[in-house]
Amino acid sequence: MILRTIFLYYWCLSACNGQTGDDVKSLVTQLFTTNTYKKNVRPNADQTKPMQVDLDFYLVGINGIDEITQKLTTTGFLFISWTDEYLTWNSASYGNLEYIYVSQSDIWKPDITLQNGFSKLKELGDSFINVQILPTGEITWLPTEVFETKCNIDIKYFPFDRQTCEIVFVVWSSSILDVNVTKGSRGILLEALDPNGVWSVVSTSAGDDVLSSESRVVFTITLERSSAYYVMNVIVPVILLGILNVFTFVIPADSGEKMGYSITVFLAFAVFLTIISSELPKTSGSLLGYYLMFQMGIGTFVVAVTAFELRIHHRKDKVPYKIQRIFRSKCKTRVKSSDKNFDNPEKDKENEDGEKTWSDITSTTDFILFWISLVSTFIVTVTILGLLSSKYK
Ligand SMILES: *[C@@H]1O[C@H](CO)[C@@H](O)[C@H](O)[C@H]1NC(C)=O
């Protein structure tokens, strides 16, 4: 559709009428047979000057990014134009014939190919694609392709990442002294772009690589992943499960539910990870991956500590004096800070002197571990979220 619009727009500005089929036939015979057109001769009368070729890129779609193979797939077409000095005519002599179409395989064309492609180097376009020729010899060729290009994918900030990829077109065999490809006046165009569900185009640029001896044009596209899906389906559930995990320490050991609860939360987390693993990049190095590992670590820690605590909790023997002494000071602070009305020195003294049982010790441990794990989970979560989301803001 867009192709046809462009064709009509560029080549039918002047009156496209008057010509007959015979005019076209005689022109084609004149150009290709009588003038003995040779498609392997570069069509400059002055061969000391390079053929100037302009290249613009219409991006039609972002088909996807593959993190494992580091591949960007795009659909697009090139707008390539040059002047063929052997394909000119006087339109008045041919019934005002203003343009003709010939197959791309019938004329000389620059051997432009994708340089950072993923598969075998191949000719752009196909023999069914026609080029348009104007009386001045100006040729326009619009080869369309699905381009697979190499691109370094950095998933450190997944799912808030941006990827910058280059699509490089090079003149493969001719030197810059023979064929000089430069970016056209329009560069990379997005008006034909269909939106992608995951990737949106943030910025683009086009440029000639003047430093290299090859003649090439580099189109750069910066893409941003839409992160809302991952926030809702990965990050928020993981944070919620992390909170549930910490609350294991709130359940009293006597209730008999403590172990069951901690294992259930751990299993829920493991099952959840299995479900979401297909949504995550299959390469390592993302901060989110480290965060999931941290949550898994906390989960393991909670289960292990709970098992150990329950064993201690049900011991019948006396608590050794050394352990009593350690916990006595901790308990005192706890009583004071948690109950202001209870600020009775005698009671405190009694509490201090009273012998600690194993169950007192486990409940103190629970209290301390609850706050330690809650605060550390909070700090790590906030840090990771901050790092992830601040990257481009
Ligand atoms: C190629 O074309 C560009 C733009 O027209 C020009 O600046 C450059 O000098 C040309 N290079 C050669 C080797 O002719």
Side-chain angles (χ1 to χ4, degrees):
M1 182 59 210
I2 179 101
L3 240 115
R4 212 172 55 200
T5 320
I6 293 161
F7 266 84
L8 288 178
Y9 179 72
Y10 280 100
W11 296 298
C12 221
L13 286 176
S14 45
C16 316
N17 55 17
Q19 70 271 29
T20 62
D22 282 342
D23 287 331
V24 181
K25 256 194 234 166
S26 65
L27 176 60
V28 171
T29 312
Q30 173 69 31
L31 291 178
F32 290 97
T33 313
T34 318
N35 293 358
T36 59
Y37 188 84
K38 290 271 182 287
K39 65 181 177 187
N40 39 18
V41 175
R42 179 158 58 85
N44 296 95
D46 178 1
Q47 293 273 321
T48 58
K49 291 209 184 86
M51 174 62 88
Q52 286 289 342
V53 179
D54 282 346
L55 199 76
D56 293 310
F57 184 52
Y58 281 80
L59 186 63
V60 174
I62 308 290
N63 302 350
I65 282 184
D66 187 337
E67 286 93 3
I68 300 176
T69 50
Q70 311 257 306
K71 177 170 78 176
L72 166 72
T73 312
T74 48
T75 304
F77 62 90
L78 292 166
F79 191 106
I80 307 176
S81 59
W82 67 93
T83 302
D84 188 321
E85 293 174 22
Y86 299 136
L87 294 178
T88 58
W89 69 92
N90 179 1
S91 66
S93 321
Y94 295 93
N96 286 329
L97 183 55
E98 291 291 349
Y99 60 86
I100 56 167
Y101 289 108
V102 297
S103 163
Q104 72 167 45
S105 52
D106 289 344
I107 59 160
W108 178 92
K109 58 189 183 321
D111 52 341
I112 294 172
T113 185
L114 190 62
Q115 189 175 37
N116 60 344
F118 220 78
S119 39
K120 188 172 169 289
L121 272 189
K122 65 192 244 338
E123 185 186 357
L124 282 181
D126 206 322
S127 55
F128 78 87
I129 292 181
N130 286 343
V131 300
Q132 170 107 31
I133 311 173
L134 301 191
T136 52
E138 201 178 304
I139 292 186
T140 310
W141 177 35
L142 289 92
T144 176
E145 299 266 335
V146 173
F147 297 108
E148 291 188 329
T149 45
K150 291 187 207 303
C151 179
N152 281 331
I153 312 289
D154 177 9
I155 51 119
K156 186 171 178 200
Y157 295 98
F158 174 88
F160 297 92
D161 51 337
R162 277 186 186 184
Q163 307 296 344
T164 300
C165 297
E166 287 185 344
I167 301 177
V168 183
F169 292 99
V170 66
V171 176
W172 192 255
S173 28
S174 313
S175 87
I176 196 164
L177 299 173
D178 295 322
V179 179
N180 183 5
V181 174
T182 51
K183 88 180 165 68
S185 53
R186 285 158 288 165
I188 177 163
L189 291 109
L190 304 178
E191 55 222 48
L193 182 65
D194 287 329
N196 177 285
V198 179
W199 297 99
S200 55
V201 177
V202 180
S203 65
T204 58
S205 66
D208 313 321
D209 193 349
V210 281
L211 293 178
S212 93
S213 59
E214 293 169 318
S215 178
R216 50 185 215 156
V217 179
V218 180
F219 296 104
T220 310
I221 307 174
T222 303
L223 299 168
E224 186 174 61
R225 198 191 297 267
S226 91
S227 51
Y229 173 84
Y230 299 98
V231 170
M232 285 190 291
N233 294 288
V234 179
I235 297 181
V236 169
V238 166
I239 292 175
L240 296 180
L241 282 172
I243 293 172
L244 285 187
N245 206 359
V246 169
F247 275 79
T248 307
F249 294 122
V250 171
I251 302 172
D254 285 326
S255 74
E257 300 279 340
K258 208 175 168 67
M259 199 67 213
Y261 176 84
S262 69
I263 288 284
T264 308
V265 174
F266 188 75
L267 275 183
F269 190 67
V271 170
F272 180 73
L273 275 190
T274 317
I275 294 169
I276 60 165
S277 64
S278 62
E279 308 291 339
L280 302 177
K282 306 273 183 300
T283 44
S284 60
S286 72
L287 287 174
L288 186 64
Y290 290 121
Y291 181 66
L292 294 177
M293 216 169 71
F294 165 78
Q295 286 288 9
M296 198 78 183
I298 291 268
T300 312
F301 172 77
V302 168
V303 172
V305 165
T306 305
F308 192 65
E309 261 187 359
L310 286 181
R311 179 170 178 81
I312 289 182
H313 184 79
H314 291 104
R315 275 175 83 155
K316 297 284 184 298
D317 58 340
K318 277 193 169 181
V319 182
Y321 179 68
K322 275 185 183 165
I323 300 180
Q324 292 238 15
R325 217 174 45 184
I326 298 169
F327 279 84
R328 188 161 293 156
S329 55
K330 295 255 167 52
C331 287
K332 205 173 83 182
T333 353
R334 188 183 151 198
V335 167
K336 266 188 182 166
S337 57
S338 65
D339 198 346
K340 289 257 167 8
N341 295 340
F342 211 62
D343 208 1
N344 181 342
E346 267 179 48
K347 189 80 184 171
D348 253 1
K349 193 157 191 307
E350 191 185 293
N351 205 26
E352 204 172 320
D353 294 341
E355 198 161 304
K356 293 271 168 274
T357 62
W358 283 112
S359 89
D360 291 333
I361 287 177
T362 52
S363 78
T364 313
T365 319
D366 268 351
F367 178 81
I368 296 166
L369 287 179
F370 173 76
W371 285 107
I372 290 180
S373 47
L374 188 65
V375 168
S376 60
T377 305
F378 180 77
I379 290 175
V380 172
T381 305
V382 168
T383 311
I384 293 276
L385 288 183
L387 278 177
L388 285 180
S389 59
S390 70
K391 179 72 167 98
Y392 299 104
K393 300 298 177 285

